[in-house]
């Protein structure tokens, strides 16, 4: 027996005459008494009732059993609704916990939230779960889902809930509840023989849980504190349909296959090690790619009117205090002390760029002044957040700052957007996602400044007719920003470029110029990055192309191969001629079968394999083969050089990304 009863309506204290329910199409249905979300769905039609997962009542997500007492707006949530995915995953986490309790009765359940791409649940047990346990748990979940047990919401007082869970032997649940105020009622959800503390809402019954997969096991400390017990965590995911789940698992398999860390080892591009956590050791081939990107960005910035500068790595902490960075990001800054002074290892470049601007009197005729730096920065990221070269502690940004008058903001933002689009296309990215991040709660500057800067960015996007999402409260502490994100070939989104309007920092750091009337004015500072962190962008490129980089970026553009020792000198000369033509070419003179060498260099992602036998040596040609196995026939060495250089000059334009 459960020591309480299920609650299928909100607490009823009065019965209104006739509650009016307004639906998304603004049609109105009137009922003589309180009515549940499911009742309204059934009134609309049996098909909708069968598909109903929950409801949104006056903006609040509620169970399908929730009783609507007063006039309200209602949206019925089905598997096609935006709210459905988290709802399904939340309920699937409960399903997993139920299966675990049936299979391993002495296990205690703790917490099981929804996370990006799925959910997890932490369990307390003497023996941690293994990967082999997952199949058994998942099989039981499928059996339970097929039963279609209803998920019923109930309420208890805090003290009743503590006693109830302690009686069940769920000490962790009891500890969670003890931290909740004594006067608060708690909701619990029951399905079959399992009950869990939860705010909800949930799907009406387990039959709606049709597509799920348990992914992996891990360890996790109770409440995230290393002084507490280690728990066993199971990660899973869920979707509305098996088709969506299959597509997700395919994307995960593709992501694993393209993982830049695995490819980096395979192609000998870089490595990381414990002696320098979050710092990249670039190997010759990886550094070749890095330099190709850097030189490309240097050329594009110069064409865009930027002047390249270089600023110090160590700067007295007083500058960071004056700029506001020390107060906002002090915990993430590395520092050193010498000569009774504290220096910060530069976490960003903007205050230093203001120092360059401040040297010498500036006139309105000098504006806009565009400064760019491949700025090396260091930030004390948490060790658990480090991820290959995607998230590191030491990185370089293609950083730039534009000092201008307020009237120049629209044209400068538009100019930057044009540059960014062109750069992304050269790297093979054609879909850009735009987000406008507005003022956070903790910020500097007046509301009037924020109003003007937010409007300037919105107007620039509107003028370009670019669709964008507003991220309220996600701006930098000194100004709003446009975030430019890329969608890669398997659908992942990577935030790379930014454009930020800053009315505050130049004044805080004493920047000024003389306007056309001879009066001192504070310039507006536009912070911008096109690709962002070089390390992260290179990781994105490696995964986007699965290491098969376009010719202009490839560290091994061509390899010349001999068939026998007789062609050794010819192959060496051919490789030298290609190198003199500006190509990254190598000669492979090893005493191995040519088929073996072709396979090996194909695995190393060399773009072109150029084979020379006796006939090629006599005719002064090379047989050209692409890394995808296409045979282009025999070509003169000069023709090979011309063809490859034309492809290099074309950048990434027209290059096909390897298929999924």
């Amino acid at each position: 027996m459960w020591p309480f009863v299920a609650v299928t309506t909100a607490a009823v204290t009065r019965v209104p005459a006739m509650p009016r329910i307004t639906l998304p199409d603004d049609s109105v249905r009137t009922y003589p008494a309180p009515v549940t979300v499911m009742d309204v769905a059934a009134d609309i039609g049996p098909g909708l009732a069968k598909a109903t997962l929950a409801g949104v009542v006056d903006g609040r997500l509620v169970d399908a059993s929730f009783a609507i007492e007063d006039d309200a707006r209602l949206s019925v949530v089905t598997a096609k609704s935006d709210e459905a995915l988290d709802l399904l995953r939340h309920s699937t986490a409960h399903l997993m916990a139920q299966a675990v309790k049936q299979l391993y009765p002495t296990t205690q359940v703790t917490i099981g939230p929804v996370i990006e791409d799925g959910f997890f649940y932490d369990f307390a047990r003497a023996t941690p779960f293994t990967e082999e346990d997952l199949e058994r748990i998942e099989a039981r979940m499928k059996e339970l889902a097929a039963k279609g047990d209803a998920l019923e919401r109930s309420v208890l007082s805090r003290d009743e809930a503590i006693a109830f869970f302690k009686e069940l032997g769920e000490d962790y649940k009891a500890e969670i509840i003890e931290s909740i105020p004594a006067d608060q009622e708690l909701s619990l959800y029951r399905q079959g023989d399992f009950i869990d503390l939860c705010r909800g809402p949930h799907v009406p019954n387990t039959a709606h849980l049709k597509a799920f997969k348990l992914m992996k096991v891990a360890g996790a400390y109770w409440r995230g504190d290393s002084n507490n017990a280690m728990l066993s965590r199971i990660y899973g995911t869920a979707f509305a349909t098996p088709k969506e789940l299959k597509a997700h698992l395919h994307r995960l398999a593709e992501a694993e296959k393209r993982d830049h860390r695995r490819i980096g080892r395979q192609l000998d591009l870089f490595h990381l090690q414990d002696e320098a956590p979050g710092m990249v050791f670039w190997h010759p081939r990886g550094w070749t790619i890095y330099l190709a990107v850097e030189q490309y960005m240097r050329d594009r910035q110069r064409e865009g009117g930027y002047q390249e500068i270089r600023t110090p790595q160590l700067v007295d902490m007083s500058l960071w205090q004056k700029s506001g960075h020390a107060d906002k990001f002090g915990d993430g800054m590395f520092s050193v002390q010498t000569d009774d002074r504290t220096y910060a290892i530069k976490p960003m470049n903007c205050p230093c760029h203001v120092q360059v601007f401040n040297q010498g009197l500036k006139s309105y005729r000098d504006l806009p002044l565009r400064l760019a730096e491949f700025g090396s920065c260091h930030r004390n990221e948490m060790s658990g957040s480090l991820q290959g070269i995607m998230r590191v502690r030491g990185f370089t940004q293609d950083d730039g700052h534009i000092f201008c008058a307020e009237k120049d903001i629209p044209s400068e933002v538009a100019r930057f957007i044009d540059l960014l689009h062109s750069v992304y296309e050269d790297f093979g990215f054609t879909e850009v996602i735009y987000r406008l991040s507005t003022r956070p709660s903790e910020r500097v500057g007046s509301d009037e400044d924020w109003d003007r800067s937010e409007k300037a960015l919105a107007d620039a996007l509107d003028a370009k007719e670019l669709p964008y999402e507003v991220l309220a409260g996600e701006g930098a502490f000194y100004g709003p920003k446009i975030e430019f994100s890329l969608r890669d070939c398997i659908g992942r989104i990577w935030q790379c470029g930014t454009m930020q309007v800053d009315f505050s920092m130049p004044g805080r750091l004493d920047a000024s110029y003389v306007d056309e009337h001879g009066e001192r004015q504070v310039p507006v500072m536009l912070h911008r990055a096109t690709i962002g962190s070089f390390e992260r962008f290179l990781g994105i490129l490696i995964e986007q192309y699965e290491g098969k980089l376009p010719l202009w970026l490839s560290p091994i553009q061509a390899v010349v191969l001999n068939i026998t020792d007789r062609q050794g000198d010819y192959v060496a000369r051919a490789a030298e001629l290609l190198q003199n033509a500006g190509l990254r070419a190598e000669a492979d003179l090893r005493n191995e079968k040519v088929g073996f060498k072709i396979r090996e260099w194909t695995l190393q992602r060399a773009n072109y394999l150029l084979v020379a036998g006796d006939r090629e040596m006599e005719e002064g040609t090379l047989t050209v083969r692409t890394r995808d196995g296409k045979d282009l026939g025999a070509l003169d060495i000069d023709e090979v050089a011309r063809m490859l250089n034309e492809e290099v000059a074309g950048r990434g334009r027209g290059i096909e990304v390897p298929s999924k």
Side-chain angles (χ1 to χ4, degrees), residues 19-225:
R20 291 163 50 85
I21 309 300
T22 304
L23 300 175
D25 63 358
D26 289 330
S27 64
V28 176
R29 291 175 181 252
T30 303
Y31 299 91
V35 61
T36 67
V37 172
M38 184 64 78
D39 291 336
V40 177
D43 187 32
I44 296 172
L48 180 60
K50 185 178 179 180
T52 295
L53 301 179
V56 177
V57 177
D58 290 335
R60 174 188 168 201
L61 185 65
V62 298
D63 292 306
S65 61
F66 179 83
I68 308 171
E69 302 175 19
D70 300 304
D71 294 352
R73 294 194 70 91
L74 168 65
S75 297
V76 175
V77 175
T78 69
K80 296 180 179 180
S81 304
D82 293 340
E83 299 86 357
L85 197 54
D86 281 357
L87 189 72
L88 290 164
R89 289 172 174 173
H90 190 188
S91 297
T92 306
H94 279 231
L95 184 70
M96 179 176 72
Q98 181 184 12
V100 167
K101 288 294 291 183
Q102 287 188 359
L103 294 170
Y104 311 96
T106 61
T107 298
Q108 293 189 56
V109 297
T110 65
I111 58 171
V114 172
I115 57 174
E116 185 178 4
D117 288 338
F119 58 87
F120 70 78
Y121 218 115
D122 288 343
F123 300 95
R125 61 195 317 262
T127 304
F129 288 114
T130 65
E131 297 289 343
E132 289 71 27
D133 294 321
L134 298 190
E135 289 186 16
R136 188 180 178 203
I137 297 169
E138 190 175 306
R140 179 59 61 89
M141 291 171 66
K142 291 177 180 177
E143 294 172 4
L144 293 170
K147 290 175 64 178
D149 286 336
L151 279 83
E152 299 175 334
R153 180 178 180 272
S154 306
V155 294
L156 281 180
S157 70
R158 190 197 73 154
D159 292 343
E160 288 173 328
I162 292 172
F164 174 70
F165 281 105
K166 282 187 174 180
E167 185 178 345
L168 291 179
E170 298 287 355
D171 296 330
Y172 286 88
K173 286 292 181 186
E175 182 180 331
I176 293 171
I177 299 169
E178 286 171 348
S179 65
I180 297 173
D183 60 349
Q184 188 168 326
E185 272 194 338
L186 303 174
S187 62
L188 297 89
Y189 282 81
R190 175 165 64 94
Q191 58 198 63
D193 60 354
F194 176 72
I195 192 163
D196 201 2
L197 173 73
C198 187
R199 293 192 186 96
H202 283 281
V203 297
N205 59 70
T206 60
H208 288 284
L209 309 178
K210 302 173 182 177
F212 50 80
K213 177 72 176 174
L214 300 187
M215 306 301 296
K216 63 179 180 178
V217 296
Y221 291 109
W222 170 236
R223 295 187 181 273
D225 187 340

Side-chain angles (χ1 to χ4, degrees), residues 337-343:
Q337 290 186 324
T338 185
D339 299 331
D340 297 324
R341 297 173 69 179
T342 300
Y343 295 87

Side-chain angles (χ1 to χ4, degrees), residues 353-364 366-367 369 510-514 520-521 523:
H353 286 203
V354 179
Q355 307 313 302
V356 174
F357 179 88
N358 286 349
Q359 301 306 301
L361 184 64
K362 298 294 187 300
S363 160
Y364 69 94
D366 298 313
L367 306 185
L369 178 63
D510 305 319
S512 66
Y513 69 96
V514 178
R520 293 265 184 169
Q521 301 291 344

Side-chain angles (χ1 to χ4, degrees), residues 315-331 333 335-337 340-345 347-348 351-352 355 444 477-478 504-505 507-510:
V315 181
D316 193 287
M317 189 63 75
S318 61
L319 180 64
W320 307 103
Q321 291 167 344
K322 193 173 182 180
S323 69
H325 289 95
D327 291 337
K328 185 69 176 178
F329 303 111
D331 292 340
M333 297 169 67
S335 63
V336 297
Q337 290 186 324
D340 297 324
R341 297 173 69 179
T342 300
Y343 295 87
I345 302 175
M348 54 202 64
C352 294
Q355 307 313 302
V444 297
F477 76 96
Y478 50 77
S504 298
M505 193 179 300
R508 292 169 69 101
L509 298 181
D510 305 319

Side-chain angles (χ1 to χ4, degrees), residues 403-434:
F403 297 88
C404 64
E406 186 172 350
K407 65 180 177 59
D408 295 323
I409 295 176
S411 60
E412 288 300 312
V413 174
R415 181 189 183 107
F416 172 70
I417 291 175
D418 289 341
L419 171 64
L420 177 137
H421 285 165
S422 176
V423 167
Y424 286 179
E425 288 174 9
D426 275 353
F427 284 111
F429 296 101
T430 57
E431 184 176 355
V432 183
I433 297 168
Y434 310 90

Side-chain angles (χ1 to χ4, degrees), residues 1-2 11 19 167 217 373 405 466:
M1 292 289 293
W2 304 102
E167 185 178 345
V217 296
E373 177 179 12
L466 299 173

